[in-house]
Structure formats: structure tokens, C-alpha cells
Amino acid sequence: MPCPGFAFQLQNRNTEDLSRDIHKVADYLSEHEVAHNMFLTYGKSFDSQSTEPTIRVFLWPRKKFIGIKEEAAFNVAVVELGGHLPIKVEELYGSLTEESIEETIRSACLGDQEYLSIKQNVTRLFS
């Protein structure tokens, strides 16, 4: 994935504990005014030994975008970091390349130092 973030899964847990952990991180990001995207999906466990599917939740801190967005095939706003790209302008669809998609998504990622600082603080929430 082009942007670093946090991943959770339901496997071997109850939904209350999973929800509490996700809320803890999302609340931290909100309190510190860090824009973020969340994506929920159902699929393979992070544990490669498990064959049981599970619910997975990804939470990505990202840059904050304020004001009018430039005309683009898509904006990194809701589900794009999860790989779902709702294309807004049909004419721009044909010009998309893997490189241009990655560049657009990378432009929303936090810088390494900012992400590492957030990661350290989030890690402390669970210790």
C-alpha cells in the first residue's frame, strides 16, 4: 500500500474489543486534527496460517485537504486508500495509469517523520 496506516482484524476477538481499539486510534487522530480514512473489508486473516476469513479494518492518517479540490479523475477522500477508485470524470478515466494513481494517492500520505510520530503515540495508547 502506498500510505502507511494501522490495521485491525476481528479474528479471535469480540466486536466490542475491536471497536474499542479502532475508536481509540480514530479518537486520537481526531483530537490531534489528523485527517484519516477508514476502510472495512471481509477477507483473509493477516495470519497466513489461518484459512478462516475475518473482518479487517484499515485506518490511514493522511494529509488534510481544505478548500476546492482540483479537477482530477478521483480524489483521495473516502475509500481510495483501500483501492476503490470512484472515477468522477469519464474523459479522465482513459488517461489513468498505475503510476498516476500511485502518485495521486502518495500525495495524500503524511511525511515519514509525521507518520512515525503518530505511530509512536498510537503505540503508547495500547501499552
Side-chain angles (χ1 to χ4, degrees):
M1 301 210 173
C3 286
F6 304 98
F8 307 86
Q9 68 180 1
L10 180 62
Q11 186 168 2
N12 300 323
R13 307 176 67 185
N14 64 51
T15 55
E16 291 81 17
D17 289 343
L18 176 64
S19 298
R20 196 172 296 113
D21 288 349
I22 294 166
H23 180 268
K24 193 181 290 189
V25 177
D27 193 48
Y28 168 85
L29 295 172
S30 295
E31 284 179 5
H32 291 84
E33 298 184 5
V34 177
H36 52 283
N37 292 30
M38 183 168 35
F39 186 76
L40 288 82
T41 187
Y42 184 75
K44 291 182 179 179
S45 166
F46 300 137
D47 176 7
S48 61
Q49 303 301 314
S50 175
T51 59
E52 291 293 315
T54 190
I55 294 172
R56 297 175 296 170
V57 180
F58 299 89
L59 194 57
W60 291 281
R62 62 172 175 79
K63 290 179 183 172
K64 186 185 304 186
F65 297 106
I66 298 174
I68 299 172
K69 295 177 177 66
E70 66 182 62
E71 187 60 43
F74 67 95
N75 293 316
V76 180
V78 181
V79 296
E80 293 78 8
L81 292 175
H84 180 76
L85 304 176
I87 307 301
K88 303 180 300 185
V89 181
E90 186 175 352
E91 296 79 34
L92 297 175
Y93 175 79
S95 65
L96 284 175
T97 64
E98 184 175 349
E99 291 78 22
S100 69
I101 291 169
E102 283 187 17
E103 181 179 328
T104 300
I105 290 174
R106 253 190 245 104
S107 74
C109 298
L110 297 177
D112 291 343
Q113 286 305 111
E114 187 175 5
Y115 173 74
L116 288 175
S117 175
I118 290 170
K119 181 180 173 185
Q120 288 172 343
N121 291 330
V122 166
T123 301
R124 283 189 206 110
L125 296 174
F126 292 94
S127 46

